[in-house]
Amino acid sequence: MGQVFDLATEFIDLPPDEIEELLDHPMREARVGGVSVMDKQARRNSTPELYDLYLRRMDRIDDWDLVDLGAPFVVGRYLFDRPRGVLYELARSENMWARRTAIVSTLYFVRKGDVADTFAIAELLLDDEQDLVRKATGGLLREAGKKDRARLVRFLDRYAATMPRVTLRYAIERLDRADRNHYLGLRRVGG
């Protein structure tokens, strides 16, 4: 993979149509290279072309590491100062990679100190059946909690007893032991 990322740096100016060819390639490494080029370009200059390509070709951005590589900068950075309704549509999608994209894209916002969408989308995804969506949701809750601990605590006070354990474990990872034990000790009422 190191060679793939080095090649992506070398071909950072690849035009969108050639990136799309990489996304269409049967070899997974080519798709990783394509998403890596998109990420590197978006870090330099977020564009509607990259954003549109990502959303249009989510059929080829179909693994957790591809989503995690592309979503924060290609989608999140692009939407940072724009309406974010598309993330809520993605969160309600039947496609698990679209749902993971919705929450992982908010990492860009969190890094800028904006955690509102992370908590709102996490709330939509709390009942998700897919482990890879649950893990991403918990991970983003943890990251948002680094910026706004009080909001994380309020979220956990409301949902910890009913949220999937893997989501909870990721969300509380950075809390002190007593707080982690408290939230892990909560149980569903009637179940």
Side-chain angles (χ1 to χ4, degrees):
M1 280 302 145
Q3 291 175 335
V4 171
F5 296 133
D6 289 344
L7 282 170
T9 300
E10 185 178 334
F11 290 96
I12 192 170
D13 294 318
L14 209 60
D17 60 323
E18 292 183 34
I19 295 171
E20 189 161 8
E21 285 183 36
L22 290 173
L23 295 177
D24 277 329
H25 200 280
M27 285 183 50
R28 185 175 188 288
E29 291 81 2
R31 289 185 293 133
V32 171
V35 175
S36 183
V37 169
M38 292 171 71
D39 171 65
K40 291 176 187 320
Q41 286 183 8
R43 286 173 187 264
R44 241 183 9 189
N45 180 30
S46 185
T47 67
E49 293 80 16
L50 291 171
Y51 168 79
D52 291 341
L53 177 60
Y54 183 103
L55 292 183
R56 187 168 44 78
R57 293 314 312 266
M58 275 198 295
D59 64 314
R60 301 299 289 162
I61 302 171
D62 60 354
D63 205 346
W64 70 268
D65 57 342
L66 295 174
V67 170
D68 292 5
L69 178 60
F73 281 88
V74 177
V75 178
R77 182 176 181 196
Y78 179 76
L79 292 175
F80 184 66
D81 57 358
R82 292 176 174 83
R84 300 172 183 176
V86 68
L87 295 180
Y88 294 84
E89 292 172 28
L90 293 172
R92 292 179 180 96
S93 172
E94 291 185 16
N95 180 319
M96 72 179 282
W97 306 119
R99 296 191 309 274
R100 188 171 173 109
T101 292
I103 192 69
V104 172
S105 294
T106 70
L107 181 58
Y108 187 84
F109 311 155
V110 169
R111 289 179 177 163
K112 297 293 185 181
D114 181 354
V115 299
D117 290 296
T118 301
F119 285 104
I121 292 170
E123 189 172 9
L124 292 175
L125 296 174
L126 280 180
D127 293 326
D128 203 281
E129 296 294 321
Q130 295 294 329
D131 198 50
L132 291 172
V133 175
R134 290 175 172 185
K135 288 177 179 179
T137 301
L140 265 294
L141 286 169
R142 178 191 64 236
E143 295 305 307
K146 291 178 186 177
K147 298 290 184 179
D148 190 341
R149 187 180 191 284
R151 193 159 186 178
L152 174 61
V153 167
R154 285 193 307 272
F155 189 93
L156 293 170
D157 286 345
R158 183 170 182 188
Y159 296 111
T162 59
M163 65 197 302
R165 295 300 272 184
V166 69
T167 305
L168 178 60
R169 287 187 181 279
Y170 274 73
I172 64 174
E173 231 173 35
R174 299 286 183 210
L175 298 180
D176 62 48
R177 180 179 292 224
D179 287 337
R180 286 194 315 269
N181 288 339
H182 166 73
Y183 289 116
L184 287 170
L186 297 177
R187 297 283 184 253
R188 293 176 198 251
V189 175

